[in-house]
Amino acid sequence: MPAGSQRLAADAEAATGPFAEIAPPLSKDAALLESAKCLYCYDAPCTLACPTHIDVPAFIKKIATGNLRGSARVILDANPMGHSCARACPVEVMCEGACVLNDRDEEPIKIALLQRHATDFALEKNLRLFEPGSPNGKRVAIVGAGPAGLSCAQDLRRWGYAVTIFDSRDKPGGLNTYAIAEYKMRPPVALAEAEMVLALGVELRAGVQVGRDVTFASLENTYDAVCVAVGLGHGRTLGIPGESVTGVHDALAFIEHLKMNPYSATPVGSRVVVIGAGNTAIDAATQAKRLGAERVIIVYRRGEDEMPAYHYEYELAKKDGCEFRFFTVPKRIVGDSAVTGIECVRAELGQPNSDGRRSRVEIPGSEHIIECDMVIKALGQLPRSDFAAAAGLRVAEGRIVSTKSNVVVCGDCANGGAEIVNAAAEGKSAAAAIHAMLGPVAKTAGSEP
Ligand SMILES: Cc1cc2nc3c(=O)[nH]c(=O)nc-3n(C[C@H](O)[C@H](O)[C@H](O)COP(=O)(O)OP(=O)(O)OC[C@H]3O[C@@H](n4cnc5c(N)ncnc54)[C@H](O)[C@@H]3O)c2cc1C
Ligand code: SF4
């Protein structure tokens, strides 16, 4: 079966099965009712809390008056990734967490679902909301077609730049296409969103890895400016014996396989141990459970209150039946030809370090084996140091830093790993920086910085 039809098969499964959306769309009536609850605050805290500062009251008001096109335009002007953000933003700690209705002990406005209502309308109707600016004679190369690169591209095209995006993968969208939990967003949505940006006349050179297929220097020589939006690289390793035994997987590789194939094609163990307690660990655990694992155990070396995952992600994992073992430190993967368990020791909190954080002290004699037939490592991703070195850029504290006046860096590779909405905001800032760098150009369509 060709890859496209395989994916369609998976989408048909997804509509109703364990990967059905956890936040399904609002009906037209429900959206109207919800929009009527907005108080249209002055200096709206939701807008301030959104990294892209979408004018939330403005787009909600347009929904209330039946102007979905106008609503989508407000959203996508501020945030070209408005479709994916509507599905995947951690709204509890962003716009909805800031909604004034929380102070009245009421439910906040369902901002993300309203945002989805408007942006889905634009996608379904294939609306052309923006136009490219008249050509200004300047050319920009963007490395990476993820949320950051695409957001940068949208603004640059609207200001009249010729934009070429290089991406090593076959499809655009970056982690939006390959990594977001399947019950939040499926690849066709991410691809349709990318297509809306590309339709402005952005050239996509897919399957071209900068540093391997073309040199970074050749981009610098050919284009007036280069935007680096390469995201993060490989997952961290544990550095313990047995890590290469069959049955030990990297979380991103596991999730990507699940998202690119029919669900039945992704093997899952019956007892799965996930190592790490960030959002990626939760995504791997919940998706392993939904694929049919009988038990999923999340192992974390520190305590519950220090886990990096958002609270609502933690709650979702518990609701899905995932178990947690805190203060549990992996020491060795057990198994010869395939994994049969993981040996861990228990730990407890010791004295505070110089940074005020209490140290972790392993408890002698607490060694134990957690039996399992699959281990998923979710320890975070490393920066793309090789790419940075080849491009003549610096890496500091896990982030790529530009050392050149014609190169800007944005998104996960610049911030060390955050959310889609941060990548979108930084992509737009990168476009504004390039616009400022390349000097005064003819005034064109689109909202200039
Ligand atoms: C498992 C997982 C789940 C997540 N879930 C959420 C969520 O629910 N909500 C949320 O808001 N955020 C989530 N995120 C974070 C979010 O996906 C990222 O913050 C966002 O995708 C960053 O965008 P980016 O454009 O900076 O990088 P990426 O999305 O990583 O895109 C970078 C692009 O650069 C390309 N590239 C890399 N090197 C080269 C090269 N040398 N040449 C050419 N192309 C190259 C890559 O192929 C890729 O397409 C999640 C992340 C992970 C890992
Ligand atoms: S982009 Fe995300 S944080 Fe911003 S308003 Fe929309 S859902 Fe909220």
Side-chain angles (χ1 to χ4, degrees):
M1 210 191 302
S5 41
Q6 279 189 8
R7 192 54 247 184
L8 286 177
D11 283 324
E13 287 176 67
T16 52
F19 290 99
E21 289 181 286
I22 51 171
L26 295 173
S27 67
K28 190 178 168 199
D29 287 347
L32 275 175
L33 269 178
E34 191 65 25
S35 64
K37 289 190 205 159
C38 183
L39 303 177
Y40 307 119
C41 306
Y42 179 72
D43 265 351
C46 49
T47 292
L48 296 176
C50 169
T52 55
H53 303 308
I54 292 177
D55 189 340
V56 176
F59 91 69
I60 292 183
K61 190 158 216 162
K62 286 185 163 51
I63 292 176
T65 56
N67 179 5
L68 289 185
R69 181 193 176 100
S71 180
R73 201 175 189 287
V74 169
I75 297 162
L76 298 170
D77 180 34
N79 180 351
M81 298 294 105
H83 296 95
S84 43
C85 285
R87 289 163 172 80
C89 265
V91 286
E92 290 79 356
V93 294
M94 289 183 177
C95 54
E96 293 183 18
C99 177
V100 293
L101 295 187
N102 290 302
D103 302 334
R104 302 178 174 189
D105 290 332
E106 290 175 28
E107 287 284 304
I109 306 278
K110 295 184 172 63
I111 296 170
L113 284 177
L114 288 172
Q115 180 170 319
R116 174 170 174 177
H117 188 67
T119 53
D120 274 1
F121 176 81
L123 265 197
E124 280 156 19
K125 302 278 179 218
N126 202 13
L127 297 183
R128 197 178 169 93
L129 296 171
F130 307 110
E131 295 297 330
S134 19
N136 63 22
K138 308 274 184 187
R139 304 174 69 198
V140 179
I142 298 176
V143 191
L150 289 168
S151 299
C152 180
Q154 174 166 300
D155 277 1
L156 289 176
R157 272 306 289 149
R158 292 178 68 195
W159 301 331
Y161 292 84
V163 179
T164 304
I165 311 186
F166 296 82
D167 201 294
S168 46
R169 291 183 180 271
D170 293 342
K171 297 185 178 74
L175 294 178
N176 269 4
T177 302
Y178 292 95
I180 303 298
E182 187 71 352
Y183 46 74
K184 290 186 192 166
M185 182 167 71
R186 294 196 280 277
V189 177
L191 293 173
E193 177 175 62
E195 193 46 50
M196 273 191 108
V197 175
L198 299 177
L200 283 168
V202 175
E203 183 194 6
L204 173 65
R205 295 198 46 201
V208 179
Q209 183 173 328
V210 176
R212 182 192 65 192
D213 305 318
V214 294
T215 63
F216 193 80
S218 71
L219 301 191
E220 289 183 278
N221 292 335
T222 314
Y223 296 87
D224 296 294
V226 183
C227 169
V228 171
V230 291
L232 294 169
H234 292 298
R236 289 175 205 281
T237 53
L238 280 162
I240 61 173
E243 216 170 330
S244 54
V245 166
T246 302
V248 180
H249 301 261
D250 175 71
L252 254 182
F254 169 71
I255 294 169
E256 178 176 337
H257 193 275
L258 156 69
K259 288 186 69 75
M260 290 296 124
N261 295 281
Y263 303 138
S264 58
T266 299
V268 69
S270 57
R271 279 177 71 106
V272 179
V273 168
V274 177
I275 303 173
N279 294 317
T280 299
I282 301 282
D283 283 0
T286 51
Q287 291 180 101
K289 201 80 173 64
R290 285 160 199 251
L291 277 177
E294 277 166 35
R295 281 185 79 179
V296 175
I297 302 162
I298 295 179
V299 165
Y300 182 46
R301 61 204 167 109
R302 300 189 72 93
E304 184 178 8
D305 38 351
E306 285 188 86
M307 60 188 288
Y310 290 122
H311 181 71
Y312 72 92
E313 297 274 10
Y314 178 33
E315 291 301 317
L316 176 70
K318 285 194 289 187
K319 213 168 111 200
D320 275 7
C322 301
E323 301 161 46
F324 285 80
R325 301 270 174 93
F326 295 107
F327 291 113
T328 302
V329 188
K331 288 288 169 187
R332 177 172 70 96
I333 309 275
V334 186
D336 297 326
S337 54
V339 59
T340 57
I342 178 162
E343 184 178 321
C344 300
V345 293
R346 302 265 310 143
E348 60 189 359
L349 287 178
Q351 295 304 313
N353 293 320
S354 53
D355 61 2
R357 205 177 180 210
R358 288 178 70 187
S359 61
R360 179 174 44 79
V361 183
E362 292 176 9
I363 304 170
S366 67
E367 293 80 7
H368 60 284
I369 289 176
I370 305 174
E371 287 178 11
C372 62
D373 51 8
M374 183 178 195
V375 171
I376 301 178
K377 296 180 288 179
L379 307 162
Q381 293 169 261
L382 292 163
R384 293 190 189 275
S385 304
D386 290 353
F387 170 87
L393 305 174
R394 212 159 50 85
V395 177
E397 294 174 7
R399 296 145 196 244
I400 300 183
V401 183
S402 178
T403 47
K404 303 176 180 195
S405 60
N406 61 336
V407 177
V408 293
V409 187
C410 60
D412 272 7
C413 64
N415 62 33
E419 310 294 337
I420 303 166
V421 66
N422 303 98
E426 291 179 22
K428 282 179 71 77
S429 299
I434 289 170
H435 196 40
M437 178 203 304
L438 293 182
V441 291
K443 191 105 176 114
T444 56
S447 49
E448 290 200 51

